[in-house]
Amino acid sequence: MARTLVTIIFMLICLVMIIVVMMQESKNSGFGALSGQVDSDSYVRKNRGRTKEGKLERITAILGFLFFVVAIGLCLKVFQ
């Protein structure tokens, strides 16, 4: 019973993480990233945590952590 519940929670985490990643804007900086060029928007970078993009990044990191914890738990058969 517990394993089934954790598996359903795991699938929900996966779906929500896919949706959150798809909502994020592309950070494609082209070939400038290869040559080491840095963007000059330091004000935006400092206040990134308050923006929608910053919140989406934080949610993605939390969901990624939960994904790995639950995946390891399911693999090691912690939930019986």
Side-chain angles (χ1 to χ4, degrees), residues 11-24 60 63 67:
M11 290 189 296
L12 289 174
I13 289 172
C14 293
L15 290 173
V16 172
M17 191 161 59
I18 289 170
I19 292 168
V20 170
V21 168
M22 295 296 287
M23 288 174 57
Q24 292 181 11
T60 303
L63 288 172
F67 173 83

Side-chain angles (χ1 to χ4, degrees), residues 12-77:
L12 289 174
I13 289 172
C14 293
L15 290 173
V16 172
M17 191 161 59
I18 289 170
I19 292 168
V20 170
V21 168
M22 295 296 287
M23 288 174 57
Q24 292 181 11
E25 291 181 17
S26 174
K27 296 206 169 123
N28 214 359
S29 58
F31 289 109
L34 294 175
S35 64
Q37 293 178 353
V38 180
D39 294 333
S40 62
D41 56 344
S42 62
Y43 177 76
V44 173
R45 225 180 252 160
K46 281 197 289 186
N47 294 318
R48 183 173 44 186
R50 297 183 188 139
T51 63
K52 177 184 171 188
E53 187 67 24
K55 291 176 185 175
L56 288 175
E57 287 178 10
R58 187 176 307 123
I59 292 169
T60 303
I62 293 168
L63 288 172
F65 175 77
L66 289 173
F67 173 83
F68 281 109
V69 168
V70 174
I72 291 171
L74 285 171
C75 184
L76 295 176
K77 298 181 181 175

